[in-house]
Amino acid sequence: MHIRKSRARHAITAVALAGVAALALSACTTSGSTSGSTAATGGTVTVAVVNDLTSLNPSTPQGNVDTNGQVGYLNGAYGSGFQYIDDNYKIVHDDKFGTFEKTSDDPLTVKYTLNKADKWSDGEPVTADDMILGWAMQSGYYDSATFDEATGEVTSGTQYFTPAAGTAGIDQTAYPAVSDDNRTITLTYAKPFVDWELFNPIALPAHVLAKKAGLSFPADLTKLLKGLPKGDKAAPTAPDATLKKAADFANTGYDITAFPTDKDLLVASGPFVVSGWTPGQSITMVKNKYYAGGLKPKVDKVVFRIIPDSNAQVTALQNGEVDIINPQASADTLTALKATSATVLAGDQVSYDHLDLNFGAPVFQDPKVREAFLKTIPRQQILDSIVTPVNPKAEVLNSQIWLPSQDEYAASVKQNGSDKFDKVDIDGAKALLAGATPTVRILYNTNNPNRVDEFQAISASASKAGFKVVDAGSPDWSKLLPGGNYDASLFGWISPGAGTTMIPQLFATGGGGNNNRYNAMNDVAVKTQTTVDKDELITLEQQIDKATFADGYGLPLFQLPGIFGVSSRVDGVKYMGNQTGPFWNFWEWSVKSGK
């Protein structure tokens, strides 16, 4: 299922994009698209989004939020380049940007070639130097870090880059071979990698990171990388100061609270570039005049309007202030949308809400306390109040790996032990606690009505068993999530809908999405990335699914429904249930003539 981003949702990364990729999901049921014959080029499309911009690098744990990822999808920051995922969750190659092909199965070898016309938005060429940097950022090749399993902190050695997707799979590659014309790299894997087709070696501009590290040219950064040895956690050496400086900038230098005065932060390889940002109000993106890939937009400008409230989004659409909305689905929102002249597109999202317990928190070191708390979670009540009014056929989610629409879901539910938590069991929880009254601090997004409702329902139920639930909610929940200063968390994952990269991201030690420090399935999670036999892969995933319920990892709550509202002014919008939302086919959008 493997998913992330909300209302504040996090995005599960498919190697390249902030967030985790899941198993290939079944296509969503949708209600169509907007289309017409009156399309014109030019114009502006305004889209309402729930969350504000926090970083221009959506690949880090703290930057891995839906709006950051959607901006990154348009400007090429881990979102576009060699491939994209369509609304059938199929991987589509963009050969106009560059080509990539598997040239050998044993060993797995993949060749990436840039087109000569590729340039960054500042006019600098996109070269193999950029691909070498992208590989270094995502492979962990130079890392020698050992992590504390309880806290996730580095206890020895060095971790240079901190990709939210983790490094599993790409960490099996040797230093890439580079062509003489500096436009091609070839990756050779020591082991098979099931999601090799999702890896995108274009990330941040090498010439910018070289500059921030005190180097004159991107070739100097490549020379440094080529000369450094592979990291060895068994015998870590002192970190290279120059690479550390470049990595530190990649990790945190793109996090912003105002429109950057440093224009280097705006350099992009995708079809659009960020041209303005008023925090809390809007983000403006304009066409990248140097973009030479195949996803060339018809419109000149895309504006993100930050409108957290669903009803306010509908009102803005009705008043012509925005053209597209993707609000949190509710019965009231759907009714209000249908009363407007907008086209309503609906379907399932490859997204789910969940409660995670923090294995690094003292209160949950005792497995009996974990089980007792989970026995109090009123999942059916939460579903009935939030989702059932929109989708009467919705059901409580009983898997950490699959969604109900997937073929493997039913078989896994039969064996994973989720039935232990089918119903609230206050008496059972009390028996496990034996008179204890543990305090549990729950982190969630206070700006998200659904999360507020979830927290209140859980708090009321858990208190009946003796738990003292503390409201640790915050509008800055996404920044607090990686730190672990809480006992449990409520949020949602949303996925690209293709690949299995989410598994180590969530369940491997040091995984970019393993915020709750659950490490029991580390070896199995890592093995999923090199298991190409489908039946063997399903067996491994079933092991994880079963272990998470047995260990008290947390509980999945429900799959999220999705709705778009689209004004008659815009054509080309199609429903998409993954983390890119309505932006997934932005190059097909057009503003109707005369409007």
Side-chain angles (χ1 to χ4, degrees):
M1 140 171 86
H2 319 178
I3 308 171
R4 209 172 164 170
K5 292 177 182 194
S6 190
R7 299 83 298 200
R9 293 194 303 260
H10 267 287
I12 291 173
T13 304
V15 179
L17 184 63
V20 167
L23 301 175
L25 295 175
S26 303
C28 295
T29 300
T30 72
S31 62
S33 62
T34 63
S35 61
S37 58
T38 56
T41 58
T44 299
V45 174
T46 302
V47 186
V49 296
V50 171
N51 296 306
D52 205 350
L53 186 68
T54 64
S55 180
L56 292 169
N57 181 0
S59 76
T60 63
Q62 76 278 6
N64 186 24
V65 181
D66 51 2
T67 300
N68 297 341
Q70 289 164 342
V71 169
Y73 184 68
L74 269 63
N75 74 5
Y78 290 88
S80 57
F82 286 92
Q83 73 283 87
Y84 65 91
I85 296 171
D86 69 12
D87 55 341
N88 290 313
Y89 304 107
K90 303 297 183 184
I91 300 169
V92 181
H93 293 207
D94 178 11
D95 292 341
K96 289 187 177 179
F97 183 86
T99 60
F100 68 107
E101 60 177 334
K102 181 169 62 174
T103 59
S104 171
D105 282 311
D106 189 16
L108 173 62
T109 307
V110 186
K111 180 180 179 181
Y112 297 82
T113 301
L114 293 161
N115 289 335
K116 292 180 179 180
D118 292 331
K119 291 183 179 180
W120 294 94
S121 59
D122 60 357
E124 291 295 319
V126 182
T127 69
D129 295 313
D130 299 297
M131 294 194 286
I132 292 294
L133 173 62
W135 163 81
M137 294 177 68
Q138 298 173 76
S139 66
Y141 183 84
Y142 302 98
D143 291 351
S144 58
T146 298
F147 297 91
D148 183 288
E149 291 193 358
T151 65
E153 299 298 321
V154 174
T155 56
S156 65
T158 303
Q159 181 186 28
Y160 287 101
F161 300 98
T162 56
T167 61
I170 306 302
D171 62 356
Q172 297 297 321
T173 52
Y175 187 91
V178 182
S179 65
D180 291 341
D181 64 3
N182 207 35
R183 290 194 299 113
T184 295
I185 68 167
T186 301
L187 294 179
T188 301
Y189 292 78
K191 295 181 180 179
F193 179 34
V194 64
D195 288 334
W196 66 269
E197 198 175 2
L198 280 169
F199 176 67
N200 184 356
I202 296 296
L204 300 177
H207 65 286
V208 169
L209 257 67
K211 177 182 176 181
K212 302 304 180 185
L215 301 172
S216 299
F217 302 102
D220 294 336
L221 180 57
T222 302
K223 183 178 179 180
L224 171 69
L225 293 171
K226 187 174 183 180
L228 291 175
K230 180 178 174 59
D232 183 359
K233 64 175 59 179
T237 58
D240 180 85
T242 305
L243 180 56
K244 190 70 168 58
K245 193 172 183 180
D248 288 348
F249 186 82
N251 295 338
T252 62
Y254 284 84
D255 298 345
I256 54 176
T257 57
F259 187 69
T261 56
D262 181 357
K263 301 307 178 186
D264 285 342
L265 297 182
L266 304 175
V267 176
S269 64
F272 283 96
V273 293
V274 176
S275 62
W277 177 40
T278 302
Q281 296 184 35
S282 65
I283 308 156
T284 302
M285 302 188 74
V286 297
K287 284 200 290 190
N288 173 9
K289 66 180 181 180
Y290 291 108
Y291 176 70
L295 310 184
K296 290 188 176 181
K298 298 174 183 176
V299 300
D300 293 330
K301 185 185 298 183
V302 174
V303 176
F304 292 61
R305 278 282 307 280
I306 295 96
I307 307 177
D309 182 76
S310 297
N311 292 329
Q313 285 199 16
V314 175
T315 300
L317 181 67
Q318 192 169 21
N319 293 341
E321 298 171 36
V322 300
D323 302 302
I324 304 170
I325 66 173
N326 179 20
Q328 186 162 279
S330 70
D332 291 343
T333 302
L334 191 56
T335 298
L337 255 181
K338 288 181 177 179
T340 71
S341 60
T343 299
V344 180
L345 309 179
D348 290 331
Q349 293 190 65
V350 286
S351 176
Y352 68 107
D353 270 24
H354 53 99
L355 169 76
D356 292 352
L357 305 189
N358 184 356
F359 280 63
V363 69
F364 286 133
Q365 295 301 303
D366 186 342
K368 289 184 178 180
V369 178
R370 296 198 298 270
E371 183 179 349
F373 189 68
L374 296 183
K375 281 181 176 292
T376 72
I377 308 304
R379 296 196 293 160
Q380 187 66 50
Q381 175 189 336
I382 291 170
L383 179 81
D384 290 342
S385 65
I386 295 175
V387 183
T388 303
V390 182
N391 178 10
K393 296 181 180 180
E395 57 187 81
V396 169
L397 185 61
N398 281 315
S399 172
Q400 296 280 9
I401 303 293
W402 289 285
L403 294 173
S405 58
Q406 294 176 274
D407 294 339
E408 299 85 357
Y409 177 80
S412 190
V413 170
K414 286 181 180 179
Q415 63 87 43
N416 67 12
S418 58
D419 55 350
K420 182 190 298 186
F421 306 106
D422 276 349
K423 297 179 180 179
V424 172
D425 182 6
I426 299 300
D427 290 340
K430 286 182 176 179
L432 288 165
L433 291 177
T437 57
T439 297
V440 177
R441 300 165 298 152
I442 302 180
L443 175 69
Y444 66 97
N445 180 11
T446 52
N447 286 339
N448 182 332
N450 281 2
R451 303 286 148 64
V452 173
D453 290 348
E454 291 166 9
F455 169 78
Q456 291 175 346
I458 291 169
S459 178
S461 182
S463 65
K464 295 176 183 178
F467 285 98
K468 297 177 181 178
V469 178
V470 175
D471 187 339
S474 170
D476 295 322
W477 71 278
S478 64
K479 296 178 182 178
L480 300 172
L481 189 64
N485 188 25
Y486 51 85
D487 304 313
S489 56
L490 281 165
F491 63 105
W493 288 112
I494 188 165
S495 167
T500 63
T501 312
M502 165 191 171
I503 296 175
Q505 182 176 344
L506 296 184
F507 302 116
T509 301
N514 187 359
N515 300 301
N516 59 333
R517 321 300 196 235
Y518 176 72
N519 302 302
M521 285 287 102
N522 173 73
D523 293 347
V524 179
V526 172
K527 192 175 180 181
T528 62
Q529 300 308 285
T530 58
T531 301
V532 294
D533 182 273
K534 182 179 179 180
D535 291 337
E536 291 181 18
L537 181 59
I538 290 173
T539 298
L540 294 173
E541 291 168 323
Q542 286 181 339
Q543 289 179 29
I544 296 172
D545 208 17
K546 186 174 183 177
T548 53
F549 286 100
D551 295 339
Y553 172 91
L555 288 177
L557 300 176
F558 54 79
Q559 180 178 7
L560 287 160
I563 53 174
F564 299 170
V566 186
S567 78
S568 60
R569 181 175 173 272
V570 177
D571 274 339
V573 180
K574 298 177 182 177
Y575 183 80
M576 174 57 132
N578 81 354
Q579 58 194 357
T580 54
F583 296 97
W584 81 269
N585 69 332
F586 61 83
W587 59 93
E588 294 181 340
W589 295 353
S590 61
V591 176
K592 291 182 181 179
S593 299
K595 294 196 177 186

